[in-house]
Amino acid sequence: AAASDLQFALTEAAERFQEETGSEVRLNFGSSGNFRRQIAQGAPFELYLSADEAYVFALHEEGHTHNEGVIYAIGRLVWLQRSHRGDLPDPGNPLEGVKQAVAAHSNGQRERIALANPDHAPYGVAAQQALQSAALWESSAPLRVLGENVSQAAQFALAADARGGLVAYSLALAPALAERSEYVLIPEDWHAPLRQRMVLTRQAGDIAKQFYEWLQQAEAVAILQQYGFSTE
Amino acid sequence: MAKSIMGSGLKVLVKQRGPIPLDASFNCPAGELLALVGPSGSGKTTLLRTIAGLYQPELGQVVCMGNPWLATERRYSLTPQQRKIGMVFQDYALFPHLNALANVQLAMGHLPHAQRQSLAKQWLANVRLEGLEKRFPSELSGGQRQRVALARALAREPQVLLLDEPFSAVDQVTRRRLQRELALLRQQISIPIILVTHDLEEAAALADQICVLHNGVSLQQGSPETLFRRPTSPLVARLLDRHNIFEGEIVSVAGQLRLQWGDYDLEVAEGLTELTLGEKVTWYLPPSDIVLHRRARPSQGERENPVAATVHEMVVLGGITSISLRVSHGDMLRFDIATHAARRNQLAQGEQVYVSLLAEGIHLMSGNHVAMPSRHMPSKYVFD
Amino acid sequence: MAKSIMGSGLKVLVKQRGPIPLDASFNCPAGELLALVGPSGSGKTTLLRTIAGLYQPELGQVVCMGNPWLATERRYSLTPQQRKIGMVFQDYALFPHLNALANVQLAMGHLPHAQRQSLAKQWLANVRLEGLEKRFPSELSGGQRQRVALARALAREPQVLLLDEPFSAVDQVTRRRLQRELALLRQQISIPIILVTHDLEEAAALADQICVLHNGVSLQQGSPETLFRRPTSPLVARLLDRHNIFEGEIVSVAGQLRLQWGDYDLEVAEGLTELTLGEKVTWYLPPSDIVLHRRARPSQGERENPVAATVHEMVVLGGITSISLRVSHGDMLRFDIATHAARRNQLAQGEQVYVSLLAEGIHLMSGNHVAMPSRHMPSKYVFD
Amino acid sequence: MDWTALSVSLRLAGLTCLFLMPVGIWLGRALASAHFRGKGFCEALIALPLVLPPTVLGFYLLQQFGRDAPLGGFWATLTGGGLNFTFSGILLASLIANLPFAIQPIQRAFENVPANLREAAWCSGLSPWQTFLRIELPLVWPGILSAAALTFAHTLGEFGVILMVGGAIDGETRTLAIAIYDRVQAFDEQGAARMSALLLLVSLTTLGLVYGLAGRRRWMRG
Amino acid sequence: MDWTALSVSLRLAGLTCLFLMPVGIWLGRALASAHFRGKGFCEALIALPLVLPPTVLGFYLLQQFGRDAPLGGFWATLTGGGLNFTFSGILLASLIANLPFAIQPIQRAFENVPANLREAAWCSGLSPWQTFLRIELPLVWPGILSAAALTFAHTLGEFGVILMVGGAIDGETRTLAIAIYDRVQAFDEQGAARMSALLLLVSLTTLGLVYGLAGRRRWMRG
Ligand SMILES: Nc1ncnc2c1ncn2[C@@H]1O[C@H](COP(=O)(O)OP(=O)(O)OP(=O)(O)O)[C@@H](O)[C@H]1O
Ligand SMILES: Nc1ncnc2c1ncn2[C@@H]1O[C@H](COP(=O)(O)OP(=O)(O)OP(=O)(O)O)[C@@H](O)[C@H]1O
Ligand SMILES: [Mg+2]
Ligand SMILES: [Mg+2]
């Protein structure tokens, strides 16, 4: 069970793992919150890769895991917009698009800014912090569209009626999106670090434990980095 | 009021205040046919539904062949299935999703599967519906539907047959055939048959007994002869579409009791002695007891209660002519004679004629009172 | 076949092969009443529906008061609304969600709103439904529903009134009242009225003309008198529930043409000369033209075609007795006489009696043929 | 308590019913009286919006509603605004998603109107339109009510399509369903329960009243 | 193409229909013939599973299905297994979520059966059970069909409840709807479109055939 921002990275990692060890792992992507709940109800997930480390701590406290697991990646936030728009902000000023949309809004236009819901999605929280640090949180309020998760935020960001959105770096690098979109990275210090923690559940079998170990090896780390995740 | 056969036949007693006021009792021995007649809305269908177990009156008893079917006072009621009745609904109530044959077969649950189809075909043939077995009700004419309903009721081989105007939608020729079938059936199976009908001729021709209903109240039950010649009240006579209902007074002429009617003092064969001198009575004369005097050739018997009158109206209906005569004091006498007899006697509007009112036919009724539903419930039913 | 009034009245001509075979034509002048009679399933309802515009036959013409309503050959058809008809449906077709009053009011779209309610009440009173205005159809008895349907049809103040057995569910007394209302109405408004009925007496009493249908084919249209005395074919006679249909042969007796029937050579007033010697014919005698010889007192006219017969059956229906006589060669003569006349003549089963068959009543029909729907469509309709 | 979300929800559900019922009545009536070979497939076609997972249906609608897509472009030239992330957009999406509920019950109801009542109305002089209003409509009323109730309830609970097309904009496209979902995702279970209770209560009252009032049909009991 | 997901979906939808139709017939019939004061609210109550967003309903079911909850515990003592994350669990969830579709159309259909047909059946000697089977059932058939079609289609598309309760376990609780959702989330739009097309095709065929076969009711045309 893995957070949806791992969609591409983890798929590739799992393939590599299978090539190497011959063991197959089945991946289940979705909302970290849902997984946390399902594991608490005894879902047959063996390894939980959460986008929000708080869920891992909570599960541990409730006794569904043996330990607090480890941080396997730190996510990055990017500004994502449709390609060929010709107005990609320059890296020094990644939230220029938001500013333009806010300015256009006062002229009656409505170009939407997409982000994941800050109420429960880690990338949403990060996006909120980034906007706050650029003093755009209040003024962008009427333009914000909130995805249920970061994938949906990316879909919003690429919709015709949106200026763009703040989404996971990992998604921006995914081949399926790369050809349709362009992005600029948001500086890491504009938001609290997106620490992603994984943990083995009490039902973890040998292969899960093996995969858990393997994900901490250099080879896996390289794959994760290739998809925009940094590690500690 | 009606002959009682120990433990056999159907006995019905129903009373309630509302929503449909009822106060009726009648019975029908096995093997006989009872016709329920009465104005539209008088509760005939409701009574049939009560017998069938489809309507629960406030108070009621239904006993069939000695077995209780309904006894409200001890909260006892059999289901319609247990009563094993055959019913023709006034609006047929055919199953729209089944063809004619299947509609009939459905009522043959008591027979082995193998026999049903051929027997159902036979029943449809009996009601003259050969060749229409595969038609759905929506593809049949009104009268054809009614006959399917009749076949279905008969196919059940019931303990009691309840027919709610079963011939109302079929033509006269077919109706006669069906009536004949019904008469034959009655000779074969000995069950009570209750027939609701608006056709008084049909009632007279088919029924052993007739029960007259009015506003839910059973006014009189008796043989057709009794009802048509000796109705208990003017209301019954009127409900039976009888005319010749008049007012009179009991007088004494030369020491003999007579019925004074206008200028005439009529001889009466029966009932005069039970009345007191000077009493006003309502009386009725069946049209069969009005005898036209032959022109210029008075014959024997024609001296009885001779009355002079003028022809007010003549309506020729085929072989029969309906005649209305106006008597000098204004009352109107109505009767039918054969058309050729009318011709032979050269009757014409305005002509003066003489008729005899046969003393035997004059029926004295105890007054103008109209039987009303008694609002009083008996503490105990008297049955048998 | 029927009288033609220029441009007024209703004219109907319908032909089709299937699914309901039809080959009918009839007309009804304004102010007259045409009764459609025929066995159940003969297409009466279908013809009314054609007139109303609810059924489209393969080929058909309907002309009302000179205006074409339907002309299939030029694909012309008015909508039911445009035809402005009043129709009583055989199954009433009341609107279940409207009470009796609202059902009637609905048909009064041609009147100002303010008048509708009181007029609708009036119509309901005319059909004897005072006090039941607020009842929904499901709370009315069968006959009450039928009368709401009648009131609704009349309330429309139509150009043509189509009544599909409008009195079938009401009792005899109410029926007579309604028939009288209908007769009154006919005098007030001059529209064609088509009445489908199974009651031949009703047809005879109410209709100016009767049209007899069989398997969708109109066999004969004419006045009741004509139909009942001079049916064109044995089939028509049988459909009109006539008996006394016999076979005979044209013979010559002492140089005069006679009708040989068993041992008798009957005088015939009309029609003999059109037939050839030795021809077999079917003949019909109306029951009114069978005259019973008075016991021991032969009277004038009773010498006409005297026939000896034995009483086979006597059925007393109130004032009228139905008599069946068996003639020596086996044929059965049926006629009605007044019950007291039967008594006076001491008729009883098995008795020998004499009757005269009036020469004027004997109606010769051209043979045993049964008119069948012609499968041939005329290339052009002949209308007026 | 999120009152604006509730108001958006009620507005959306109300308007969906309002717009969808005429469509349902029209299509349901047409289907009830029509008899043609491919009718079964037509009826099946109508059920299809139900078959796709709501989010996926929403995703396709999101694409179709974009200004660069024919439908969205047409709307933009018509109104000047876009469809995505607007109330109009989620209303349209909700109309499409609820189509099956609107048509099926109404079609069944029309199938049950006896043909001879329609004919009797014509013979009483009622135009087809009057016949429809005064005879057919009262008779199919229970079916319409069922359709409206299912549509209303389903719109209130609809989440995937609305979120996808609407983007959860406060006061415009954020419905109570989305708000509840957000509460659940944020592990604010009490908040979610409170809102759920509110939503259930509002629905129960609305539907209960509608059913209760409409249930008093004396003429049906007979 | 994800054939196992398709098979799970079809199994789930089929079984949901199979189990829900008897319930719908029973409750629909009871409601159609009953007349009591609070009936309107009872009817409204039945629509409530629709009102909650599916994921939220799923969340509540997830809690109720746990071994420590009464329902889940009862199930565990009965069968030894749990409800959450099993096919039985999503089937039960799907039954609850589809209840409104099953009952409403069937109730309306029963309301339209004329009372005198039932009476005529009794008078023809049919027991209440035979009356039900041979008279009422054929007459309400179109209503049942509508209910089944709506249930079937909605179950195929159901996603929030199933995902929450089932956890998308391959071959057991991962339905085609979830698979399509996953494809969309992974921006694999071609894959999603292929699967959607498959799902639509299967539904169209199934429903079309059912409707087509059932539509041949000659007796309704008259
Ligand atoms: N639901 C009801 N509420 C009140 N009165 C009713 C209800 N249903 C029927 N009635 C009345 O009960 C009376 C008896 O009805 P019933 O159907 O038994 O009459 P009927 O004798 O069969 O008449 P018909 O010859 O017209 O069929 C009628 O006057 C009718 O109006
Ligand atoms: N859909 C149909 N398909 C085939 N035949 C039909 C269909 N509907 C009716 N018929 C037949 O058409 C014939 C004429 O029916 P119609 O209702 O006109 O008869 P009717 O004269 O009114 O009979 P009734 O006196 O019984 O009402 C009947 O024999 C009937 O069986
Ligand atoms: Mg009745
Ligand atoms: Mg007819």
Side-chain angles (χ1 to χ4, degrees):
Chain A
S4 36
D5 62 343
L6 290 171
Q7 195 82 246
F8 306 102
L10 202 63
T11 310
E12 190 174 334
E15 276 166 16
R16 190 78 57 84
F17 175 70
Q18 191 178 347
E19 276 169 27
E20 283 183 17
T21 64
S23 316
E24 194 189 350
V25 283
R26 275 193 298 179
L27 300 174
N28 231 337
F29 298 100
S31 149
S32 301
N34 283 351
F35 287 139
R36 177 234 175 284
R37 246 184 256 287
Q38 289 173 329
I39 290 167
Q41 289 291 342
F45 301 131
E46 299 175 38
L47 176 60
Y48 173 42
L49 297 102
S50 173
D52 189 340
E53 59 176 351
Y55 295 152
V56 175
F57 295 143
L59 279 179
H60 178 56
E61 248 167 63
E62 291 166 18
H64 297 289
T65 63
H66 294 289
N67 53 32
E68 293 193 339
V70 296
I71 288 179
Y72 62 90
I74 296 174
R76 289 286 306 270
L77 199 62
V78 295
W79 168 261
L80 183 82
Q81 64 177 39
R82 274 180 299 152
S83 49
H84 314 304
R85 277 183 67 102
D87 54 0
L88 187 70
D90 56 65
N93 204 359
L95 293 180
E96 184 60 26
V98 182
K99 284 198 195 103
Q100 288 168 358
V102 168
H105 182 239
S106 49
N107 302 333
Q109 272 186 324
R110 277 193 175 207
E111 285 196 305
R112 305 296 186 173
I113 309 297
L115 52 149
N117 195 323
D119 283 353
H120 48 80
Y123 280 96
V125 177
Q128 178 178 0
Q129 288 165 347
L131 286 170
Q132 275 166 341
S133 73
L136 286 167
W137 180 245
E138 304 294 333
S139 51
S140 67
L143 297 178
R144 288 197 297 260
V145 291
L146 304 180
E148 172 199 355
N149 55 42
V150 71
S151 275
Q152 196 174 27
Q155 278 157 351
F156 287 165
L158 299 183
D161 306 76
R163 177 70 177 80
L166 292 163
V167 301
Y169 187 24
S170 60
L171 291 181
L173 288 175
L177 277 192
E179 45 193 71
R180 280 190 273 154
S181 61
E182 43 196 22
Y183 65 91
V184 273
L185 271 166
I186 307 286
E188 264 179 293
D189 50 359
W190 287 20
H191 57 83
L194 286 154
R195 276 200 283 266
Q196 308 202 165
R197 190 174 281 270
M198 63 178 170
V199 68
L200 286 165
T201 69
R202 285 192 178 276
Q203 314 178 17
D206 288 340
I207 296 177
K209 286 178 181 154
Q210 218 181 329
F211 190 50
Y212 177 72
E213 294 300 333
W214 186 80
L215 277 177
Q216 297 173 42
Q217 308 299 315
E219 195 180 353
V221 168
I223 294 172
L224 285 170
Q225 271 170 352
Q226 186 193 325
Y227 279 94
F229 292 103
S230 53
T231 44
E232 282 195 327
Chain B
M1 174 165 135
K3 54 180 156 169
S4 154
I5 292 176
M6 290 290 287
S8 95
L10 180 76
K11 293 179 187 111
V12 180
L13 199 155
V14 181
K15 256 173 202 275
Q16 77 174 8
R17 259 156 262 230
I20 302 172
L22 291 175
D23 181 3
S25 81
F26 53 85
N27 60 49
C28 178
E32 292 207 353
L33 190 149
L34 173 78
L36 277 185
V37 304
S40 166
S42 57
K44 304 179 293 296
T45 299
T46 309
L47 286 174
L48 287 200
R49 286 169 53 81
T50 306
I51 300 173
L54 301 173
Y55 185 82
Q56 298 287 338
E58 223 172 278
L59 280 175
Q61 285 198 359
V62 177
V63 179
C64 180
M65 309 290 186
N67 304 315
W69 278 6
L70 173 73
T72 48
E73 82 283 6
R74 50 188 176 101
R75 301 181 168 282
Y76 179 84
S77 177
L78 291 189
T79 64
Q81 291 89 347
Q82 291 168 323
R83 300 185 187 201
K84 200 158 187 341
I85 40 117
M87 177 138 171
V88 173
F89 287 74
Q90 195 170 7
D91 54 359
Y92 323 147
L94 296 183
F95 306 120
H97 60 296
L98 299 178
N99 63 26
L101 193 68
N103 260 283
V104 176
Q105 268 176 267
L106 202 83
M108 306 175 98
H110 56 291
L111 294 176
H113 266 282
Q115 293 177 21
R116 291 186 199 167
Q117 175 154 355
S118 64
L119 258 168
K121 275 200 175 142
Q122 187 56 49
W123 281 118
L124 283 176
N126 283 353
V127 296
R128 320 268 149 190
L129 285 178
E130 307 91 336
L132 301 183
E133 290 91 354
K134 295 274 167 246
R135 291 265 187 94
F136 286 96
S138 62
E139 299 167 338
L140 292 171
S141 80
Q144 289 164 344
R145 284 178 213 177
Q146 194 171 40
R147 284 178 279 155
V148 175
L150 182 62
R152 186 177 65 181
L154 296 174
R156 170 120 165 89
E157 295 180 11
Q159 285 194 329
V160 170
L161 199 52
L162 305 173
L163 308 171
D164 203 347
E165 303 190 35
F167 311 125
S168 67
V170 297
D171 59 292
Q172 197 159 311
V173 180
T174 313
R175 187 182 316 180
R176 272 193 218 273
R177 287 202 191 127
L178 295 178
Q179 288 171 349
R180 205 168 310 141
E181 298 276 345
L182 188 63
L184 281 176
L185 190 84
R186 266 180 59 199
Q187 291 167 4
Q188 290 161 20
I189 52 170
S190 180
I191 59 168
I193 302 178
I194 315 273
L195 171 77
V196 169
T197 181
H198 286 136
D199 186 339
L200 294 173
E201 257 183 56
E202 179 173 286
L206 287 180
D208 299 289
Q209 304 229 356
I210 295 180
C211 176
V212 181
L213 281 175
H214 185 244
N215 286 342
V217 184
S218 57
L219 299 178
Q220 187 179 1
Q221 176 176 351
S223 69
E225 173 83 4
T226 310
L227 265 98
F228 286 117
R229 291 185 67 82
R230 299 268 177 265
T232 51
S233 68
L235 178 62
V236 171
R238 265 194 293 272
L239 292 177
L240 291 173
D241 204 20
R242 302 289 104 184
H243 307 284
N244 305 332
I245 302 167
F246 310 107
E247 302 293 315
E249 197 180 326
I250 310 296
V251 293
S252 171
V253 175
Q256 296 220 297
L257 288 178
R258 287 288 153 90
L259 174 66
Q260 192 185 54
W261 178 55
D263 306 332
Y264 300 99
D265 300 319
L266 304 177
E267 283 176 52
V268 177
E270 257 176 62
L272 265 189
T273 49
E274 287 136 46
L275 298 165
T276 53
L277 214 63
E279 194 175 337
K280 304 250 183 221
V281 292
T282 307
W283 60 281
Y284 162 72
L285 186 65
S288 59
D289 292 58
I290 300 174
V291 180
L292 182 72
H293 292 193
R294 292 181 199 162
R295 190 159 287 267
R297 268 212 226 173
S299 69
Q300 176 194 13
E302 291 183 358
R303 286 290 150 252
E304 219 169 288
N305 292 331
V307 168
T310 50
V311 176
H312 175 71
E313 199 181 56
M314 283 177 63
V315 180
V316 181
L317 285 171
I320 296 297
T321 298
S322 268
I323 313 241
S324 301
L325 303 179
R326 189 189 293 280
V327 188
S328 58
H329 59 274
D331 274 349
M332 201 79 80
L333 284 167
R334 295 209 220 173
F335 63 106
D336 299 333
I337 60 171
T339 303
H340 60 82
R343 255 184 266 146
R344 196 155 54 190
N345 285 292
Q346 288 147 40
L347 290 193
Q349 216 173 319
E351 289 279 319
Q352 168 111 22
V353 295
Y354 292 89
V355 290
S356 277
L357 311 186
L358 300 186
E360 209 183 44
I362 293 180
H363 171 56
L364 303 175
M365 294 179 287
S366 30
N368 224 340
H369 74 87
V370 172
M372 288 299 292
S374 74
R375 293 279 165 240
H376 166 77
M377 299 278 174
S379 55
K380 190 162 170 281
Y381 291 132
V382 188
F383 241 158
D384 272 14
Chain C
M1 172 163 137
K3 55 180 154 170
S4 155
I5 292 176
M6 289 290 286
S8 96
L10 181 76
K11 294 185 185 103
V12 179
L13 199 155
V14 181
K15 256 177 203 274
Q16 77 174 7
R17 257 157 264 225
I20 303 172
L22 291 174
D23 182 4
S25 81
F26 53 86
N27 60 50
C28 178
E32 291 205 355
L33 190 149
L34 174 77
L36 276 185
V37 303
S40 166
S42 58
K44 304 179 294 294
T45 299
T46 308
L47 286 174
L48 286 201
R49 286 169 54 80
T50 306
I51 300 173
L54 300 174
Y55 186 83
Q56 299 287 341
E58 222 172 282
L59 280 175
Q61 284 199 2
V62 177
V63 179
C64 180
M65 309 292 186
N67 304 316
W69 278 6
L70 173 72
T72 47
E73 83 283 7
R74 48 188 178 102
R75 300 182 168 280
Y76 179 83
S77 176
L78 291 189
T79 64
Q81 291 91 345
Q82 291 169 325
R83 299 186 187 199
K84 204 161 185 333
I85 39 115
M87 176 137 171
V88 173
F89 287 74
Q90 193 169 8
D91 54 359
Y92 323 149
L94 296 183
F95 306 120
H97 61 297
L98 299 178
N99 64 27
L101 193 68
N103 259 284
V104 177
Q105 269 177 267
L106 202 84
M108 306 176 97
H110 57 291
L111 294 176
H113 267 282
Q115 293 177 21
R116 290 184 201 169
Q117 176 156 354
S118 63
L119 258 168
K121 276 199 175 140
Q122 187 56 53
W123 280 117
L124 282 177
N126 284 352
V127 296
R128 319 270 151 187
L129 287 178
E130 307 91 337
L132 300 184
E133 291 90 354
K134 295 276 168 244
R135 292 265 187 91
F136 286 96
S138 62
E139 300 166 338
L140 292 171
S141 79
Q144 289 165 344
R145 284 179 214 177
Q146 193 171 42
R147 284 177 280 156
V148 175
L150 182 61
R152 185 177 66 181
L154 296 173
R156 171 121 164 90
E157 295 180 12
Q159 286 194 328
V160 170
L161 199 51
L162 304 174
L163 308 172
D164 202 347
E165 302 190 36
F167 311 124
S168 66
V170 297
D171 59 292
Q172 197 159 312
V173 181
T174 314
R175 187 184 315 181
R176 273 192 218 273
R177 288 203 191 125
L178 295 177
Q179 287 171 350
R180 206 168 309 139
E181 298 277 344
L182 188 63
L184 281 175
L185 190 86
R186 266 180 58 197
Q187 291 166 5
Q188 290 161 21
I189 52 169
S190 181
I191 59 168
I193 302 177
I194 314 273
L195 171 77
V196 168
T197 182
H198 286 137
D199 185 340
L200 294 173
E201 258 183 54
E202 181 174 283
L206 288 179
D208 299 290
Q209 304 228 356
I210 295 179
C211 176
V212 181
L213 281 175
H214 184 247
N215 286 342
V217 184
S218 57
L219 298 178
Q220 188 178 3
Q221 176 177 353
S223 69
E225 172 81 5
T226 311
L227 265 97
F228 286 116
R229 290 185 68 82
R230 298 267 177 266
T232 49
S233 67
L235 179 61
V236 172
R238 264 193 292 273
L239 292 177
L240 292 172
D241 204 18
R242 302 290 104 184
H243 307 283
N244 305 331
I245 303 168
F246 309 107
E247 303 293 318
E249 196 179 328
I250 310 297
V251 293
S252 171
V253 176
Q256 295 218 297
L257 286 178
R258 288 286 154 91
L259 173 65
Q260 191 185 54
W261 177 54
D263 305 333
Y264 301 98
D265 299 321
L266 304 176
E267 284 177 49
V268 178
E270 258 178 61
L272 265 188
T273 48
E274 286 137 46
L275 297 166
T276 52
L277 214 66
E279 193 174 342
K280 303 248 182 227
V281 292
T282 306
W283 60 281
Y284 162 73
L285 184 65
S288 59
D289 292 58
I290 300 175
V291 180
L292 184 71
H293 292 193
R294 291 180 201 162
R295 192 157 285 270
R297 268 212 230 176
S299 70
Q300 175 193 13
E302 291 184 357
R303 287 289 149 254
E304 219 170 292
N305 291 332
V307 167
T310 49
V311 177
H312 175 72
E313 197 180 55
M314 283 177 63
V315 181
V316 181
L317 287 171
I320 295 296
T321 298
S322 267
I323 312 242
S324 300
L325 302 179
R326 187 190 293 281
V327 187
S328 58
H329 59 274
D331 274 350
M332 201 78 80
L333 284 167
R334 296 209 221 175
F335 63 106
D336 299 330
I337 60 172
T339 302
H340 61 81
R343 257 183 264 147
R344 194 156 55 191
N345 284 293
Q346 288 146 36
L347 289 192
Q349 214 174 319
E351 290 279 316
Q352 167 110 18
V353 294
Y354 292 89
V355 290
S356 277
L357 311 186
L358 301 187
E360 210 183 42
I362 292 178
H363 171 55
L364 302 175
M365 295 181 286
S366 29
N368 223 342
H369 73 87
V370 172
M372 288 299 292
S374 75
R375 297 276 165 241
H376 167 77
M377 300 275 175
S379 56
K380 192 163 168 277
Y381 292 132
V382 189
F383 240 156
D384 271 14
Chain D
M1 198 58 57
D2 200 336
W3 298 109
T4 38
L6 177 64
S7 117
V8 171
S9 274
L10 289 180
R11 231 167 358 119
L12 182 67
L15 285 173
T16 303
C17 279
L18 200 72
F19 285 130
L20 212 47
M21 284 310 105
V23 178
I25 291 169
W26 177 66
L27 268 175
R29 188 168 182 274
L31 278 173
S33 54
H35 295 289
F36 53 93
R37 264 194 79 79
K39 189 178 168 192
F41 283 91
C42 269
E43 293 179 272
L45 214 62
I46 287 168
L48 287 194
L50 276 183
V51 169
L52 286 181
T55 320
V56 177
L57 178 63
F59 173 68
Y60 288 129
L61 290 180
L62 184 73
Q63 293 186 330
Q64 291 308 308
F65 285 3
R67 275 161 200 273
D68 41 2
L71 180 65
F74 176 71
W75 182 266
T77 54
L78 220 69
T79 65
L83 268 176
N84 281 329
F85 314 124
T86 63
F87 186 76
S88 312
I90 59 170
L91 183 56
L92 190 57
S94 158
L95 290 178
I96 294 169
N98 282 299
L99 205 61
F101 304 130
I103 293 178
Q104 283 265 344
I106 298 180
Q107 180 186 343
R108 293 290 165 252
F110 272 107
E111 282 172 353
N112 271 317
V113 175
N116 71 351
L117 292 189
R118 216 169 281 140
E119 296 176 347
W122 298 339
C123 288
S124 301
L126 267 62
S127 68
W129 178 241
Q130 287 174 317
T131 303
F132 171 72
L133 282 185
R134 297 171 66 180
I135 307 300
E136 296 179 55
L137 213 51
L139 292 176
V140 299
W141 196 239
I144 295 178
L145 223 71
S146 271
L150 288 180
T151 302
F152 186 81
H154 189 251
T155 310
L156 283 185
E158 182 53 69
F159 160 76
V161 179
I162 304 296
L163 181 62
M164 202 65 172
V165 173
I169 298 164
D170 225 8
E172 179 152 7
T173 63
R174 190 174 130 97
T175 62
L176 198 56
I178 296 177
I180 296 175
Y181 175 81
D182 287 347
R183 289 297 89 216
V184 170
Q185 290 299 64
F187 288 86
D188 175 8
E189 277 148 31
Q190 279 181 1
R194 259 202 315 275
M195 288 195 199
S196 299
L198 177 71
L199 188 60
L200 291 177
L201 198 76
V202 168
S203 325
L204 194 64
T205 319
T206 317
L207 296 178
L209 280 179
V210 169
Y211 278 128
L213 286 177
R216 300 168 198 242
R217 279 163 285 131
R218 178 155 68 102
W219 55 271
M220 281 205 66
R221 311 254 170 107
Chain E
M1 196 60 54
D2 200 337
W3 299 109
T4 39
L6 177 65
S7 117
V8 171
S9 274
L10 289 179
R11 230 166 359 121
L12 183 67
L15 285 174
T16 303
C17 280
L18 201 71
F19 285 131
L20 213 47
M21 285 310 106
V23 178
I25 291 169
W26 177 65
L27 269 174
R29 186 167 183 275
L31 278 172
S33 55
H35 294 291
F36 52 95
R37 265 193 79 77
K39 188 179 169 191
F41 283 91
C42 270
E43 294 180 271
L45 214 62
I46 287 168
L48 287 192
L50 275 184
V51 169
L52 287 181
T55 320
V56 177
L57 179 63
F59 164 61
Y60 288 128
L61 290 180
L62 186 70
Q63 292 187 331
Q64 291 308 311
F65 284 3
R67 275 163 198 272
D68 40 0
L71 181 64
F74 177 70
W75 181 268
T77 55
L78 218 70
T79 64
L83 270 175
N84 281 327
F85 319 115
T86 62
F87 186 77
S88 311
I90 59 171
L91 182 57
L92 188 57
S94 159
L95 291 177
I96 294 169
N98 282 299
L99 204 61
F101 304 130
I103 293 178
Q104 284 266 343
I106 298 181
Q107 180 186 343
R108 293 290 164 253
F110 271 107
E111 283 172 355
N112 272 317
V113 175
N116 69 354
L117 292 189
R118 217 169 279 141
E119 296 176 346
W122 299 338
C123 289
S124 302
L126 267 61
S127 68
W129 177 242
Q130 287 175 317
T131 303
F132 170 73
L133 282 185
R134 297 172 63 180
I135 308 300
E136 297 180 55
L137 214 51
L139 292 175
V140 299
W141 196 239
I144 295 179
L145 222 71
S146 272
L150 288 179
T151 302
F152 185 81
H154 188 252
T155 309
L156 284 186
E158 182 52 69
F159 159 76
V161 180
I162 304 297
L163 180 62
M164 203 65 172
V165 173
I169 296 161
D170 229 5
E172 175 147 13
T173 62
R174 191 174 131 97
T175 63
L176 197 57
I178 295 177
I180 297 174
Y181 175 81
D182 284 349
R183 289 297 90 217
V184 170
Q185 290 295 56
F187 297 93
D188 175 9
E189 279 146 33
Q190 280 181 358
R194 259 202 314 274
M195 289 195 198
S196 298
L198 176 70
L199 189 59
L200 292 176
L201 199 75
V202 169
S203 326
L204 193 65
T205 318
T206 317
L207 296 178
L209 280 179
V210 169
Y211 278 128
L213 286 177
R216 301 169 197 239
R217 279 163 285 130
R218 179 155 68 102
W219 55 271
M220 280 205 66
R221 312 256 168 104

